[in-house]
Amino acid sequence: MRLAIMCGYAGMGLGPDTVDLVREAERLGYEQAWVAEAYGSDAPTVLAWLGAQTERIHLGAGIMQIPARTPAMTAMTAATLDTLTSGRFLLGLGVSGPQVSEGWHGVRFAKPLARTREYVDVVRMALRREQVRYEGEFITLPLPDGPGKALRLTIRPPRPDLPVYLAAVGPNNLRLAGEVADGWLAVFLSPEDCGDQMAAVRAGREKAGAGVDGDPMAGFDVVATVPVVVTDDLEAGRAAVADYTALYIGGMGSREQNFYNGLARRMGFDAAADEIQDLYLEGRPRDAAAAVPFELVDRTALVGPPDRIAERLRRYADAGVTTVSVAPYARTPEERAAVLAVVAEAAAAL
């Protein structure tokens, strides 16, 4: 199993401590570092900053938002970052959610699967340095009624087939990830409950005729972002992760459309999902966090002393996760580095 570090948004300060932590992850043998974006810090700027100060670790956008950029701009950014980092860039894409897409970027959220398929088509076409001609439902290049002409990317990235990952939660999006991407960026993945999710990805891979030697999942990277709290106090571990869990299950979307709330329900936490969402949408985030049950945290995070974390890490490997992206929950940079070391030791023993 590969290890990655999830740097998140600005939660670690995006200062020297982040660089130091990624360098420490690189020293420990972590293979990837992922950077997120929502409506604050953007991923490519941070990745360029990290790329200039690291040597081997792969640098992933987790994610670059599809409604935020044209596919041609995304291809340009990906090609530039891959060039500057000597082939270390990983392109993670996702449609975000309706509130961010329509409220921040002014892009309608309708038909996200069809839009994603067209977007990936054009990005890959541009990275292969083909003349970009495309006629889709959402993307038409060049525009048919103006002076534009089909253009070709002027630079030559180290990898015209650089890996594309999709963030996906629902079954249809998971099938699409298997069909058109090289990896899946998963959150709140429970190794005990992800069978249907893995089956959906596999179905997409089979549809695309992907894989090696009859194994459709061969070569496909399943990256699970996993909060990690090293502690002997399991309740303290739950509390450390509860704010994050409540934000996604309760507040990341509307009452009618929250993908993460639906995911918690599919894991059997219907009552908790209702309570967390009700409290969050009433403007009571602390109470929502207090309502997050330990069982939900324990299924979707690594919490406990090192031996317990090692046991849980094995379950992720057994479930088919190929990369665990560690989000270290601790107060200081030194404590976060210690979390990375605990997981590295556990992974080495698998």
Side-chain angles (χ1 to χ4, degrees):
M1 174 184 284
R2 289 182 293 267
L3 293 179
I5 176 173
M6 168 50 74
C7 299
Y9 309 101
M12 294 182 186
L14 291 182
D17 61 320
T18 302
V19 174
D20 292 342
L21 201 59
V22 172
R23 284 174 172 166
E24 177 64 8
E26 186 175 60
R27 187 190 70 80
L28 289 167
Y30 281 59
E31 296 190 27
Q32 301 167 358
W34 292 90
V35 171
E37 67 177 24
Y39 44 95
S41 56
D42 74 291
T45 303
V46 178
L47 290 169
W49 178 61
L50 292 173
Q53 301 179 80
T54 54
E55 297 177 358
R56 298 178 306 279
I57 197 165
H58 285 77
L59 302 161
I63 56 169
M64 287 169 63
Q65 298 168 89
I66 285 174
R69 303 168 180 86
T70 67
M73 186 69 246
T74 290
M76 291 167 60
T77 302
T80 303
L81 283 168
D82 208 43
T83 300
L84 293 176
T85 61
S86 301
R88 291 190 284 144
F89 178 64
L90 307 171
L91 175 57
L93 296 171
V95 290
S96 190
Q99 289 181 323
V100 173
S101 182
E102 299 193 9
W104 188 247
H105 299 301
V107 176
R108 295 293 182 194
F109 194 73
K111 297 184 178 180
L113 296 182
R115 288 191 296 116
T116 299
R117 182 184 295 275
E118 291 188 11
Y119 196 95
V120 172
D121 282 348
V122 175
V123 169
R124 288 197 186 276
M125 185 182 301
L127 289 172
R128 291 193 299 265
R129 299 193 69 249
E130 300 174 8
Q131 280 194 322
V132 178
R133 299 181 184 275
Y134 198 86
E135 294 185 15
E137 181 180 357
F138 300 95
I139 301 171
T140 301
L141 291 170
L143 293 176
D145 54 356
K149 64 178 183 178
L151 298 174
R152 190 191 315 272
L153 188 68
T154 60
I155 65 173
R156 296 180 181 272
R159 299 172 299 165
D161 58 347
L162 70 85
V164 174
Y165 292 70
L166 285 187
V169 177
N172 293 331
N173 208 5
L174 288 167
R175 282 191 288 272
L176 180 66
E179 184 181 349
V180 306
D182 305 294
W184 165 36
L185 300 176
V187 293
F188 293 104
L189 186 142
S190 163
E192 291 83 9
D193 302 287
C194 68
D196 289 345
Q197 293 170 291
M198 291 292 190
V201 173
R202 178 180 290 270
R205 297 282 287 172
E206 290 172 344
K207 181 179 179 181
V212 179
D213 295 333
D215 179 7
M217 296 299 289
F220 189 85
D221 194 10
V222 177
V223 182
T225 294
V226 183
V228 181
V229 187
V230 180
T231 178
D232 291 326
D233 184 341
L234 296 184
E235 170 53 28
R238 183 210 69 83
V241 179
D243 286 342
Y244 157 81
T245 305
L247 168 64
Y248 276 79
I249 292 174
M252 197 65 76
S254 64
R255 188 179 299 278
E256 296 75 24
Q257 195 169 35
N258 181 320
F259 307 122
Y260 309 100
N261 190 279
L263 181 58
R265 293 175 186 280
R266 289 194 290 275
M267 285 190 280
F269 293 96
D270 300 68
D274 281 338
E275 183 180 7
I276 293 166
Q277 187 174 64
D278 287 345
L279 291 168
Y280 210 99
L281 295 181
E282 289 171 8
R284 300 163 61 188
R286 291 184 180 178
D287 292 333
V292 174
F294 173 76
E295 292 77 9
L296 176 55
V297 168
D298 198 35
R299 294 235 206 130
T300 56
L302 296 173
V303 177
D307 58 344
R308 192 174 194 274
I309 285 173
E311 176 189 352
R312 292 289 300 164
L313 189 66
R314 182 175 296 279
R315 297 189 188 185
Y316 279 92
D318 292 343
V321 173
T322 54
T323 303
V324 166
S325 183
V326 175
Y329 277 65
R331 292 173 299 174
T332 67
E334 293 77 16
E335 289 173 341
R336 290 196 286 270
V339 171
L340 295 181
V342 166
V343 180
E345 183 176 353
L350 291 179

Short mmCIF file of all heavy atoms in Angstrom, two decimals, residues 180-237:
data_model
loop_
_atom_site.label_atom_id
_atom_site.label_comp_id
_atom_site.label_asym_id
_atom_site.label_seq_id
_atom_site.Cartn_x
_atom_site.Cartn_y
_atom_site.Cartn_z
N VAL A 180 -13.21 6.53 -17.12
CA VAL A 180 -12.45 7.58 -17.81
C VAL A 180 -11.20 8.03 -17.07
O VAL A 180 -10.42 8.80 -17.63
CB VAL A 180 -13.35 8.81 -18.10
CG1 VAL A 180 -14.61 8.42 -18.84
CG2 VAL A 180 -13.70 9.57 -16.81
N ALA A 181 -11.00 7.58 -15.83
CA ALA A 181 -9.89 8.10 -15.03
C ALA A 181 -8.88 7.00 -14.72
O ALA A 181 -9.09 5.82 -15.01
CB ALA A 181 -10.42 8.72 -13.74
N ASP A 182 -7.79 7.42 -14.12
CA ASP A 182 -6.72 6.51 -13.69
C ASP A 182 -6.75 6.27 -12.19
O ASP A 182 -5.97 5.46 -11.68
CB ASP A 182 -5.35 7.10 -14.07
CG ASP A 182 -5.27 7.43 -15.55
OD1 ASP A 182 -5.31 6.50 -16.35
OD2 ASP A 182 -5.18 8.63 -15.88
N GLY A 183 -7.62 6.97 -11.49
CA GLY A 183 -7.71 6.80 -10.05
C GLY A 183 -8.96 7.45 -9.51
O GLY A 183 -9.62 8.26 -10.17
N TRP A 184 -9.29 7.06 -8.28
CA TRP A 184 -10.47 7.57 -7.59
C TRP A 184 -10.02 8.21 -6.29
O TRP A 184 -9.28 7.61 -5.51
CB TRP A 184 -11.44 6.42 -7.32
CG TRP A 184 -12.54 6.72 -6.32
CD1 TRP A 184 -13.20 7.90 -6.15
CD2 TRP A 184 -13.10 5.80 -5.37
NE1 TRP A 184 -14.14 7.79 -5.15
CE2 TRP A 184 -14.11 6.52 -4.66
CE3 TRP A 184 -12.86 4.46 -5.07
CZ2 TRP A 184 -14.86 5.91 -3.65
CZ3 TRP A 184 -13.62 3.87 -4.06
CH2 TRP A 184 -14.61 4.58 -3.36
N LEU A 185 -10.45 9.46 -6.05
CA LEU A 185 -10.19 10.16 -4.81
C LEU A 185 -11.42 9.99 -3.91
O LEU A 185 -12.48 10.55 -4.19
CB LEU A 185 -9.91 11.64 -5.06
CG LEU A 185 -8.70 11.94 -5.95
CD1 LEU A 185 -8.59 13.44 -6.20
CD2 LEU A 185 -7.42 11.41 -5.32
N ALA A 186 -11.25 9.21 -2.86
CA ALA A 186 -12.37 8.86 -1.98
C ALA A 186 -12.25 9.57 -0.65
O ALA A 186 -11.14 9.75 -0.12
CB ALA A 186 -12.41 7.35 -1.75
N VAL A 187 -13.38 9.97 -0.09
CA VAL A 187 -13.44 10.49 1.27
C VAL A 187 -14.50 9.72 2.03
O VAL A 187 -15.43 9.17 1.43
CB VAL A 187 -13.75 12.00 1.30
CG1 VAL A 187 -12.60 12.81 0.72
CG2 VAL A 187 -15.05 12.31 0.57
N PHE A 188 -14.35 9.67 3.34
CA PHE A 188 -15.27 8.92 4.19
C PHE A 188 -15.44 7.48 3.70
O PHE A 188 -16.54 6.94 3.69
CB PHE A 188 -16.62 9.62 4.29
CG PHE A 188 -16.57 10.93 5.02
CD1 PHE A 188 -16.63 12.12 4.32
CD2 PHE A 188 -16.43 10.98 6.40
CE1 PHE A 188 -16.55 13.33 4.98
CE2 PHE A 188 -16.35 12.18 7.06
CZ PHE A 188 -16.41 13.37 6.36
N LEU A 189 -14.33 6.90 3.25
CA LEU A 189 -14.40 5.52 2.79
C LEU A 189 -14.26 4.59 3.99
O LEU A 189 -13.30 4.67 4.75
CB LEU A 189 -13.30 5.23 1.77
CG LEU A 189 -13.37 3.85 1.11
CD1 LEU A 189 -12.99 3.92 -0.35
CD2 LEU A 189 -12.46 2.85 1.84
N SER A 190 -15.23 3.72 4.14
CA SER A 190 -15.21 2.72 5.20
C SER A 190 -14.83 1.38 4.59
O SER A 190 -15.52 0.89 3.70
CB SER A 190 -16.59 2.61 5.86
OG SER A 190 -16.70 1.41 6.60
N PRO A 191 -13.72 0.76 5.03
CA PRO A 191 -13.33 -0.51 4.43
C PRO A 191 -14.37 -1.61 4.62
O PRO A 191 -14.44 -2.54 3.82
CB PRO A 191 -12.01 -0.85 5.15
CG PRO A 191 -11.96 0.01 6.35
CD PRO A 191 -12.76 1.22 6.04
N GLU A 192 -15.20 -1.48 5.66
CA GLU A 192 -16.25 -2.48 5.89
C GLU A 192 -17.47 -2.26 4.99
O GLU A 192 -18.29 -3.18 4.86
CB GLU A 192 -16.70 -2.46 7.35
CG GLU A 192 -15.67 -2.96 8.34
CD GLU A 192 -14.65 -1.90 8.73
OE1 GLU A 192 -14.84 -0.72 8.36
OE2 GLU A 192 -13.65 -2.26 9.39
N ASP A 193 -17.60 -1.08 4.41
CA ASP A 193 -18.83 -0.73 3.70
C ASP A 193 -18.62 -0.30 2.26
O ASP A 193 -19.54 0.20 1.63
CB ASP A 193 -19.54 0.42 4.44
CG ASP A 193 -19.86 0.08 5.88
OD1 ASP A 193 -20.78 -0.72 6.10
OD2 ASP A 193 -19.19 0.62 6.78
N CYS A 194 -17.41 -0.49 1.73
CA CYS A 194 -17.11 0.07 0.41
C CYS A 194 -17.25 -0.94 -0.73
O CYS A 194 -16.85 -0.64 -1.86
CB CYS A 194 -15.70 0.68 0.39
SG CYS A 194 -14.37 -0.53 0.53
N GLY A 195 -17.82 -2.09 -0.46
CA GLY A 195 -17.94 -3.11 -1.50
C GLY A 195 -18.71 -2.62 -2.71
O GLY A 195 -18.30 -2.84 -3.86
N ASP A 196 -19.85 -1.95 -2.48
CA ASP A 196 -20.64 -1.44 -3.60
C ASP A 196 -19.89 -0.35 -4.35
O ASP A 196 -19.99 -0.26 -5.59
CB ASP A 196 -21.98 -0.90 -3.09
CG ASP A 196 -22.92 -1.99 -2.63
OD1 ASP A 196 -22.67 -3.17 -2.95
OD2 ASP A 196 -23.91 -1.66 -1.93
N GLN A 197 -19.13 0.47 -3.64
CA GLN A 197 -18.36 1.52 -4.30
C GLN A 197 -17.27 0.90 -5.20
O GLN A 197 -17.10 1.31 -6.34
CB GLN A 197 -17.72 2.44 -3.26
CG GLN A 197 -18.73 3.26 -2.46
CD GLN A 197 -18.07 3.96 -1.29
OE1 GLN A 197 -17.65 3.32 -0.33
NE2 GLN A 197 -17.99 5.28 -1.34
N MET A 198 -16.57 -0.08 -4.68
CA MET A 198 -15.53 -0.73 -5.46
C MET A 198 -16.14 -1.44 -6.67
O MET A 198 -15.56 -1.43 -7.77
CB MET A 198 -14.78 -1.74 -4.59
CG MET A 198 -13.93 -1.12 -3.50
SD MET A 198 -12.51 -0.21 -4.19
CE MET A 198 -11.58 0.12 -2.69
N ALA A 199 -17.31 -2.03 -6.48
CA ALA A 199 -17.97 -2.72 -7.59
C ALA A 199 -18.35 -1.74 -8.69
O ALA A 199 -18.27 -2.06 -9.88
CB ALA A 199 -19.20 -3.47 -7.08
N ALA A 200 -18.78 -0.54 -8.30
CA ALA A 200 -19.13 0.47 -9.30
C ALA A 200 -17.91 0.91 -10.10
O ALA A 200 -17.96 1.05 -11.33
CB ALA A 200 -19.79 1.67 -8.62
N VAL A 201 -16.79 1.12 -9.40
CA VAL A 201 -15.55 1.48 -10.10
C VAL A 201 -15.15 0.34 -11.04
O VAL A 201 -14.79 0.58 -12.21
CB VAL A 201 -14.42 1.77 -9.10
CG1 VAL A 201 -13.10 1.97 -9.84
CG2 VAL A 201 -14.75 3.01 -8.27
N ARG A 202 -15.20 -0.87 -10.56
CA ARG A 202 -14.83 -2.02 -11.38
C ARG A 202 -15.71 -2.11 -12.63
O ARG A 202 -15.22 -2.39 -13.72
CB ARG A 202 -14.96 -3.30 -10.55
CG ARG A 202 -14.66 -4.59 -11.33
CD ARG A 202 -14.82 -5.81 -10.45
NE ARG A 202 -13.77 -5.88 -9.44
CZ ARG A 202 -12.61 -6.49 -9.63
NH1 ARG A 202 -12.35 -7.10 -10.78
NH2 ARG A 202 -11.72 -6.51 -8.68
N ALA A 203 -17.00 -1.83 -12.48
CA ALA A 203 -17.91 -1.88 -13.63
C ALA A 203 -17.49 -0.86 -14.69
O ALA A 203 -17.55 -1.14 -15.90
CB ALA A 203 -19.34 -1.62 -13.18
N GLY A 204 -17.06 0.32 -14.24
CA GLY A 204 -16.59 1.32 -15.19
C GLY A 204 -15.32 0.87 -15.88
O GLY A 204 -15.14 1.08 -17.09
N ARG A 205 -14.41 0.26 -15.14
CA ARG A 205 -13.17 -0.24 -15.73
C ARG A 205 -13.46 -1.34 -16.75
O ARG A 205 -12.85 -1.38 -17.83
CB ARG A 205 -12.26 -0.79 -14.63
CG ARG A 205 -11.81 0.23 -13.60
CD ARG A 205 -10.69 1.09 -14.12
NE ARG A 205 -9.44 0.34 -14.19
CZ ARG A 205 -8.33 0.82 -14.76
NH1 ARG A 205 -8.33 2.02 -15.31
NH2 ARG A 205 -7.22 0.10 -14.78
N GLU A 206 -14.38 -2.21 -16.42
CA GLU A 206 -14.74 -3.29 -17.35
C GLU A 206 -15.37 -2.72 -18.62
O GLU A 206 -15.09 -3.18 -19.74
CB GLU A 206 -15.69 -4.26 -16.67
CG GLU A 206 -15.02 -5.09 -15.58
CD GLU A 206 -16.01 -5.92 -14.78
OE1 GLU A 206 -17.22 -5.64 -14.86
OE2 GLU A 206 -15.56 -6.84 -14.05
N LYS A 207 -16.20 -1.70 -18.46
CA LYS A 207 -16.82 -1.07 -19.63
C LYS A 207 -15.76 -0.47 -20.55
O LYS A 207 -15.88 -0.53 -21.79
CB LYS A 207 -17.80 0.01 -19.19
CG LYS A 207 -18.50 0.71 -20.35
CD LYS A 207 -19.49 1.75 -19.84
CE LYS A 207 -20.17 2.46 -21.01
NZ LYS A 207 -21.13 3.50 -20.53
N ALA A 208 -14.70 0.09 -19.95
CA ALA A 208 -13.64 0.72 -20.73
C ALA A 208 -12.63 -0.29 -21.26
O ALA A 208 -11.74 0.07 -22.04
CB ALA A 208 -12.92 1.77 -19.88
N GLY A 209 -12.75 -1.54 -20.83
CA GLY A 209 -11.78 -2.54 -21.24
C GLY A 209 -10.41 -2.30 -20.64
O GLY A 209 -9.39 -2.65 -21.23
N ALA A 210 -10.38 -1.72 -19.42
CA ALA A 210 -9.12 -1.36 -18.78
C ALA A 210 -8.62 -2.51 -17.92
O ALA A 210 -9.33 -3.46 -17.61
CB ALA A 210 -9.30 -0.10 -17.94
N GLY A 211 -7.36 -2.39 -17.49
CA GLY A 211 -6.78 -3.38 -16.60
C GLY A 211 -5.65 -4.15 -17.25
O GLY A 211 -5.26 -3.88 -18.39
N VAL A 212 -5.15 -5.14 -16.51
CA VAL A 212 -4.03 -5.95 -16.97
C VAL A 212 -4.30 -7.41 -16.62
O VAL A 212 -4.73 -7.71 -15.50
CB VAL A 212 -2.70 -5.49 -16.31
CG1 VAL A 212 -1.54 -6.37 -16.79
CG2 VAL A 212 -2.43 -4.02 -16.62
N ASP A 213 -4.07 -8.30 -17.57
CA ASP A 213 -4.17 -9.74 -17.34
C ASP A 213 -5.50 -10.14 -16.71
O ASP A 213 -5.56 -10.94 -15.76
CB ASP A 213 -3.02 -10.22 -16.45
CG ASP A 213 -1.66 -10.05 -17.10
OD1 ASP A 213 -1.61 -10.09 -18.34
OD2 ASP A 213 -0.67 -9.88 -16.37
N GLY A 214 -6.57 -9.58 -17.23
CA GLY A 214 -7.89 -9.95 -16.77
C GLY A 214 -8.35 -9.29 -15.48
O GLY A 214 -9.47 -9.53 -15.03
N ASP A 215 -7.51 -8.46 -14.88
CA ASP A 215 -7.89 -7.75 -13.67
C ASP A 215 -8.21 -6.30 -14.03
O ASP A 215 -7.30 -5.51 -14.28
CB ASP A 215 -6.75 -7.80 -12.65
CG ASP A 215 -7.09 -7.04 -11.36
OD1 ASP A 215 -8.24 -6.59 -11.22
OD2 ASP A 215 -6.19 -6.89 -10.51
N PRO A 216 -9.50 -5.94 -14.05
CA PRO A 216 -9.85 -4.57 -14.47
C PRO A 216 -9.35 -3.49 -13.52
O PRO A 216 -9.21 -2.34 -13.92
CB PRO A 216 -11.39 -4.60 -14.50
CG PRO A 216 -11.78 -5.72 -13.61
CD PRO A 216 -10.69 -6.74 -13.74
N MET A 217 -9.04 -3.84 -12.28
CA MET A 217 -8.57 -2.83 -11.32
C MET A 217 -7.06 -2.64 -11.35
O MET A 217 -6.55 -1.73 -10.70
CB MET A 217 -9.02 -3.21 -9.90
CG MET A 217 -10.53 -3.22 -9.72
SD MET A 217 -11.28 -1.59 -10.01
CE MET A 217 -10.71 -0.69 -8.56
N ALA A 218 -6.35 -3.47 -12.08
CA ALA A 218 -4.90 -3.34 -12.15
C ALA A 218 -4.52 -1.98 -12.75
O ALA A 218 -5.05 -1.58 -13.78
CB ALA A 218 -4.30 -4.47 -12.97
N GLY A 219 -3.62 -1.28 -12.10
CA GLY A 219 -3.18 0.02 -12.57
C GLY A 219 -4.06 1.17 -12.16
O GLY A 219 -3.75 2.33 -12.48
N PHE A 220 -5.15 0.88 -11.44
CA PHE A 220 -6.07 1.94 -11.02
C PHE A 220 -5.79 2.27 -9.55
O PHE A 220 -5.72 1.38 -8.71
CB PHE A 220 -7.52 1.48 -11.18
CG PHE A 220 -8.55 2.57 -10.98
CD1 PHE A 220 -8.90 3.40 -12.03
CD2 PHE A 220 -9.16 2.73 -9.75
CE1 PHE A 220 -9.85 4.40 -11.85
CE2 PHE A 220 -10.11 3.73 -9.56
CZ PHE A 220 -10.45 4.56 -10.61
N ASP A 221 -5.63 3.54 -9.25
CA ASP A 221 -5.24 3.98 -7.92
C ASP A 221 -6.46 4.41 -7.12
O ASP A 221 -7.11 5.40 -7.45
CB ASP A 221 -4.23 5.14 -8.04
CG ASP A 221 -3.50 5.43 -6.74
OD1 ASP A 221 -3.63 4.65 -5.80
OD2 ASP A 221 -2.79 6.47 -6.69
N VAL A 222 -6.78 3.68 -6.07
CA VAL A 222 -7.86 4.05 -5.16
C VAL A 222 -7.23 4.78 -3.98
O VAL A 222 -6.55 4.18 -3.14
CB VAL A 222 -8.63 2.81 -4.67
CG1 VAL A 222 -9.71 3.21 -3.65
CG2 VAL A 222 -9.26 2.07 -5.84
N VAL A 223 -7.44 6.09 -3.94
CA VAL A 223 -6.82 6.96 -2.92
C VAL A 223 -7.90 7.35 -1.91
O VAL A 223 -8.84 8.05 -2.25
CB VAL A 223 -6.21 8.22 -3.55
CG1 VAL A 223 -5.55 9.08 -2.48
CG2 VAL A 223 -5.22 7.86 -4.64
N ALA A 224 -7.74 6.89 -0.69
CA ALA A 224 -8.70 7.21 0.36
C ALA A 224 -8.09 8.23 1.32
O ALA A 224 -7.05 7.96 1.92
CB ALA A 224 -9.10 5.95 1.13
N THR A 225 -8.73 9.37 1.43
CA THR A 225 -8.30 10.36 2.42
C THR A 225 -8.80 9.92 3.78
O THR A 225 -10.01 9.74 3.98
CB THR A 225 -8.83 11.76 2.08
OG1 THR A 225 -8.22 12.20 0.87
CG2 THR A 225 -8.50 12.74 3.19
N VAL A 226 -7.89 9.75 4.72
CA VAL A 226 -8.23 9.17 6.03
C VAL A 226 -7.67 10.06 7.14
O VAL A 226 -6.44 10.19 7.27
CB VAL A 226 -7.66 7.74 6.17
CG1 VAL A 226 -8.08 7.13 7.50
CG2 VAL A 226 -8.12 6.87 5.01
N PRO A 227 -8.53 10.68 7.95
CA PRO A 227 -8.03 11.37 9.14
C PRO A 227 -7.35 10.39 10.09
O PRO A 227 -7.83 9.26 10.26
CB PRO A 227 -9.29 11.97 9.77
CG PRO A 227 -10.31 11.99 8.66
CD PRO A 227 -9.99 10.80 7.81
N VAL A 228 -6.26 10.80 10.70
CA VAL A 228 -5.53 9.94 11.63
C VAL A 228 -5.29 10.69 12.93
O VAL A 228 -4.75 11.81 12.93
CB VAL A 228 -4.19 9.47 11.04
CG1 VAL A 228 -3.47 8.54 12.02
CG2 VAL A 228 -4.40 8.75 9.71
N VAL A 229 -5.69 10.06 14.03
CA VAL A 229 -5.45 10.61 15.36
C VAL A 229 -4.77 9.52 16.19
O VAL A 229 -5.36 8.47 16.43
CB VAL A 229 -6.75 11.04 16.07
CG1 VAL A 229 -6.43 11.77 17.37
CG2 VAL A 229 -7.60 11.91 15.16
N VAL A 230 -3.54 9.77 16.60
CA VAL A 230 -2.82 8.82 17.44
C VAL A 230 -3.07 9.20 18.90
O VAL A 230 -2.63 10.26 19.36
CB VAL A 230 -1.31 8.82 17.13
CG1 VAL A 230 -0.58 7.82 18.03
CG2 VAL A 230 -1.07 8.47 15.66
N THR A 231 -3.79 8.31 19.61
CA THR A 231 -4.17 8.62 20.99
C THR A 231 -4.60 7.35 21.70
O THR A 231 -5.09 6.41 21.07
CB THR A 231 -5.33 9.64 21.02
OG1 THR A 231 -5.72 9.90 22.37
CG2 THR A 231 -6.54 9.14 20.25
N ASP A 232 -4.44 7.35 23.00
CA ASP A 232 -4.97 6.26 23.82
C ASP A 232 -6.41 6.54 24.26
O ASP A 232 -7.07 5.64 24.78
CB ASP A 232 -4.09 6.06 25.07
CG ASP A 232 -2.72 5.51 24.72
OD1 ASP A 232 -2.62 4.72 23.76
OD2 ASP A 232 -1.75 5.88 25.40
N ASP A 233 -6.87 7.76 24.04
CA ASP A 233 -8.21 8.18 24.45
C ASP A 233 -9.10 8.21 23.21
O ASP A 233 -9.06 9.15 22.42
CB ASP A 233 -8.13 9.57 25.10
CG ASP A 233 -9.47 10.04 25.65
OD1 ASP A 233 -10.51 9.50 25.25
OD2 ASP A 233 -9.45 10.98 26.48
N LEU A 234 -9.90 7.16 23.03
CA LEU A 234 -10.71 7.05 21.82
C LEU A 234 -11.75 8.16 21.71
O LEU A 234 -12.05 8.63 20.61
CB LEU A 234 -11.39 5.68 21.76
CG LEU A 234 -10.45 4.47 21.67
CD1 LEU A 234 -11.25 3.18 21.51
CD2 LEU A 234 -9.46 4.63 20.52
N GLU A 235 -12.30 8.60 22.83
CA GLU A 235 -13.26 9.70 22.78
C GLU A 235 -12.59 11.00 22.34
O GLU A 235 -13.15 11.76 21.56
CB GLU A 235 -13.93 9.89 24.14
CG GLU A 235 -14.78 11.16 24.26
CD GLU A 235 -15.82 11.34 23.16
OE1 GLU A 235 -16.30 10.32 22.61
OE2 GLU A 235 -16.17 12.50 22.86
N ALA A 236 -11.36 11.22 22.79
CA ALA A 236 -10.63 12.40 22.34
C ALA A 236 -10.35 12.30 20.84
O ALA A 236 -10.40 13.31 20.12
CB ALA A 236 -9.32 12.54 23.12
N GLY A 237 -10.08 11.10 20.36
CA GLY A 237 -9.89 10.91 18.92
C GLY A 237 -11.15 11.21 18.14
O GLY A 237 -11.11 11.85 17.08
#
